[in-house]
Amino acid sequence: MLRLNPSTLSQAFGQQLLDGGAHLKPVFEQTLLPLISKRLLDPSLQRSNSGSIGLGSALSLFLAAHRKAPKLVAEVGTYIGNSAAALGCGAGMAQQPVQLITCDLHPCTQQPFAGLTLPKGSKAQVVQGTSTKMFEFLASKQARLDMLHLDGRLMKEDLKLLSQLLKKDTLIALDDCEGDEKGHMNLDLLRRAGLIQNHAFVEPFPRELFRYWGLETRSVTGFLLPQSEIIFSRQ
């Protein structure tokens, strides 16, 4: 009997993302990495009580967005816009407009796509306020999300709204998915609300996977992978 768990799924999903995105290595190294580094070194963008995503998580989001090719992405937790840039850069590889909306109580940027060359019509919108405020706005537009990145704690009020926004094939990324950090808290909330019955939890990718790209780093980003996109193949 073959048993798949969050760890074995992590190895398989991460390996496929790295193999399938091998041709994007120059884009990651020459476009996204310098942009991320520049923002991290800009004192005007920093906030003492927050931290930006690490290299492994940025690469994970970049490759997952490339694979999913989402047209509409929502994000909780803007900060300096590095995760939004990784998502936009990856999604933009499909050569179709990318719409991203992100929220933060105290965002340090209003232009998370600044410095990126994305398909015409792409746009990033920053909502200064709670996740509930952003989800209410999206629900009022009858939006349906292709991808969701949670880099902030969900509130109970969000769950009913997410039931309207999530699709069976929405790809969900969970930041800080280790120990008792917020990623696992968000995972538990989504499970208890019955919102991810059609998804499989994928642990953050292990260090050894990133070494295929010559990177000594780790990721704390987990994924909720739509079960409809887990396909058995003879090759």
Side-chain angles (χ1 to χ4, degrees):
M1 181 68 70
L2 174 64
R3 177 177 294 177
L4 297 177
N5 58 41
S7 178
T8 54
L9 282 173
S10 174
Q11 186 73 36
F13 185 42
Q15 187 69 65
Q16 286 205 1
L17 289 185
L18 287 162
D19 290 346
H23 63 292
L24 300 178
K25 194 168 185 281
V27 176
F28 181 76
E29 294 178 340
Q30 298 168 23
T31 300
L32 193 57
L33 271 186
L35 177 64
I36 288 174
S37 298
K38 182 179 179 181
R39 292 179 180 181
L40 288 171
L41 294 173
D42 186 343
S44 68
L45 293 178
Q46 309 310 309
R47 197 170 65 204
S48 60
N49 62 344
S50 296
S52 186
I53 60 168
L55 178 60
S57 290
L59 178 54
S60 298
L61 291 174
F62 170 71
L63 291 175
H66 162 252
R67 184 67 171 265
K68 181 65 177 177
K71 295 179 181 179
L72 177 60
V73 183
E75 175 185 61
V76 177
T78 311
Y79 189 35
I80 61 176
N82 279 346
S83 52
L87 290 163
C89 189
M93 294 296 102
Q95 300 303 313
Q96 62 184 8
V98 183
Q99 305 296 318
L100 181 140
I101 182 168
T102 176
C103 68
D104 201 303
L105 290 176
H106 304 287
C108 292
T109 181
Q110 289 293 325
Q111 297 179 313
F113 282 175
L116 295 175
T117 301
L118 297 176
K120 185 178 180 180
S122 296
K123 180 182 179 182
Q125 179 182 352
V126 178
V127 174
Q128 183 166 359
T130 65
S131 52
T132 304
K133 178 180 178 182
M134 180 182 73
F135 292 144
E136 285 176 340
F137 170 76
L138 286 166
S140 72
K141 301 294 183 180
Q142 297 184 318
R144 302 282 276 173
L145 301 177
D146 299 309
M147 189 168 179
L148 171 66
H149 178 223
L150 297 176
D151 190 7
R153 294 191 181 188
L154 289 173
M155 296 185 284
K156 290 182 179 180
E157 295 82 3
D158 295 337
L159 300 175
K160 184 176 181 179
L161 294 164
L162 282 172
S163 69
Q164 303 172 49
L165 299 171
L166 296 178
K167 302 183 292 183
K168 287 185 178 181
D169 66 346
T170 302
L171 176 62
I172 304 172
L174 303 165
D175 188 54
D176 284 332
C177 220
E178 58 179 1
D180 60 353
E181 297 292 334
K182 64 177 181 285
H184 281 297
M185 294 180 182
N186 286 334
L187 176 61
D188 185 58
L189 281 173
L190 292 169
R191 277 179 174 157
R192 289 175 181 272
L195 294 176
I196 52 173
Q197 295 176 348
N198 298 301
H199 289 70
F201 174 55
V202 180
E203 289 181 352
F205 303 144
R207 282 181 179 273
E208 55 265 27
L209 284 183
F210 298 110
R211 292 178 182 138
Y212 285 99
W213 276 27
L215 299 172
E216 194 60 48
T217 186
R218 72 187 188 103
S219 171
V220 295
T221 298
F223 289 96
L224 287 165
L225 186 63
Q227 293 180 10
S228 60
E229 297 188 5
I230 300 176
I231 301 171
F232 295 92
S233 171
R234 292 184 178 183
Q235 297 182 351

